[in-house]
Amino acid sequence: MFRLPPRAALGATFRALLAAAGAATFALAAGPAGAQGFPERPVTLVIPFPAGGSTDLVGRLVAERMSAELGQPVVVENKGGAGGNLGAAQVAKANPDGYTILMGTVATHALNPALYKKIPYDAEKSFAPISLLVVVPNVLVVNPDFPAKTVPELVELLKKNPDKYSYASSGNGTPLHLSGELFKSLAGVQMQHIPYQGAGPALNDVLANQVPIMFDNLPSSAGHIKSGKLRALGVTTAKRAPSFPDIPAIAETIPGYETYTWNALFAPAGTPPEVVAKLNAAANKSLADPKVQARLADFSATVVGSTPEELGAHVKAELAKWAPIVKASGAQVD
């Protein structure tokens, strides 16, 4: 039988409950107050790839404008390695106060969970989504000295010389690697894959003609394409990129071919909603800046700007989309 405690004990219990309730009320009041003052010091934006690639370019552009919106510097920290896993894990384990955020990509939040046997974070549970920033085309480029000048010529050359030529990518299992593997599969050709620790180092070797072919993010190759230091054979999106209308889509030669990447901001899971809202507002205002839009348009990045909930739904959909593609490619990283 359930018995009430003695009156004295009941009074002590009641006083304890009142004290606990008061402490909880104070904590709830302190939380939003702290969030209202956010940010009171610089915010670190971790970019999980080396400097020079598309993610780095987009990240620095947005970080500069967000600094003005937030009234505090947004400091970029490049943390490359393991296809973006190192930088993503750093943010996942950071204090959830909004002062450490991540520039996530299709690699960190859609491909890596399918590619790696072990991953140091959960793409959904370890993060608080902030905003989907942009969707970016990839592009197939070659050194100007390379004999093939079009996608059909490249396919013919590779079929005549299986495994003679190699292509560079930003690393095993990255979107650029899978762009190459999908190309090989659909075109029925063979190339050797040479992975690098990021798109920047890979691009440098293609410019130096150490490796003749590369699948790159369009933003990081755009300037070299315009200057003639690289020859673009095709974009990886289903349709041509608006900023380079003369570059054919690879799908015009190889039906069904399509890959792309995207950039989005994430905070550690448990970050207060008020802080996430402030970061979301700053990011989306940055994307609305005409100067930022013009710069992003230069390399055909499609500006999105989303709510945290929309980004969360996007990650879920991308995980479902890419898992079977990665499995079919046979790519896996230990």
Side-chain angles (χ1 to χ4, degrees):
M1 175 182 287
F2 176 76
R3 298 177 185 271
L4 286 173
R7 183 183 297 265
L10 181 61
T13 301
F14 183 66
R15 287 193 296 272
L17 289 172
L18 281 177
T25 301
F26 177 79
L28 288 172
Q36 287 171 6
F38 175 87
E40 298 177 329
R41 53 187 170 85
V43 174
T44 297
L45 172 59
V46 176
I47 296 180
F49 298 98
S54 165
T55 300
D56 183 65
L57 292 174
V58 173
R60 290 178 185 277
L61 184 64
V62 173
E64 181 179 3
R65 189 64 185 84
M66 283 183 68
S67 297
E69 292 292 337
L70 293 171
Q72 290 285 351
V74 177
V75 181
V76 170
E77 178 185 332
N78 293 94
K79 178 76 172 182
N85 284 348
L86 294 184
Q90 176 180 323
V91 175
K93 297 172 184 176
N95 191 17
D97 54 10
Y99 288 99
T100 304
I101 58 177
L102 173 72
M103 178 65 81
T105 70
V106 65
T108 59
H109 282 74
L111 300 180
N112 290 359
L115 282 164
Y116 287 78
K117 291 182 179 179
K118 293 182 179 180
I119 191 168
Y121 58 87
D122 185 293
E124 294 184 271
K125 296 178 182 178
S126 299
F127 300 94
I130 298 173
S131 178
L132 176 61
L133 303 177
V134 296
V135 176
V136 182
N138 299 326
V139 62
L140 168 58
V141 294
V142 296
N143 185 279
D145 292 336
F146 192 68
K149 294 180 171 58
T150 65
V151 172
E153 288 182 9
L154 175 62
V155 171
E156 182 181 2
L157 183 67
L158 295 175
K159 285 186 174 181
K160 289 181 178 178
N161 303 277
D163 277 331
K164 177 180 178 180
Y165 298 101
S166 56
Y167 77 96
S169 86
S170 51
N172 284 319
T174 61
L176 305 182
H177 173 207
L178 291 178
S179 292
E181 292 305 302
L182 185 62
F183 182 91
K184 287 164 55 177
S185 175
L186 294 181
V189 297
Q190 293 297 321
M191 292 185 289
Q192 296 182 35
H193 173 228
I194 301 181
Y196 286 77
Q197 292 296 316
L203 188 60
N204 287 337
D205 270 9
V206 177
L207 290 167
N209 206 18
Q210 298 299 310
V211 183
I213 306 165
M214 181 178 178
F215 288 84
D216 191 22
N217 300 130
L218 185 54
S220 57
S221 281
H224 299 302
I225 294 169
K226 291 177 180 178
S227 69
K229 294 180 180 178
L230 288 175
R231 179 188 302 132
L233 302 189
V235 293
T236 66
T237 42
K239 296 181 179 180
R240 298 189 182 201
S243 61
F244 289 92
D246 294 335
I247 302 176
I250 293 174
E252 294 175 27
T253 300
I254 305 173
Y257 184 92
E258 182 184 17
T259 68
Y260 51 81
T261 190
W262 47 262
N263 298 122
L265 292 179
F266 297 87
T271 300
E274 297 87 356
V275 171
V276 171
K278 284 195 172 186
L279 291 167
N280 174 271
N284 289 344
K285 284 182 181 178
S286 300
L287 294 174
D289 186 313
K291 292 182 179 179
V292 172
Q293 290 189 348
R295 182 72 183 95
L296 291 170
D298 283 344
F299 41 74
S300 295
T302 300
V303 175
V304 182
S306 75
T307 66
E309 294 76 17
E310 288 168 341
L311 175 54
H314 175 76
V315 169
K316 187 179 293 291
E318 286 286 274
L319 285 165
K321 171 187 174 179
W322 283 103
I325 295 176
V326 171
K327 184 177 181 179
S329 75
Q332 191 172 68
V333 184
D334 293 332

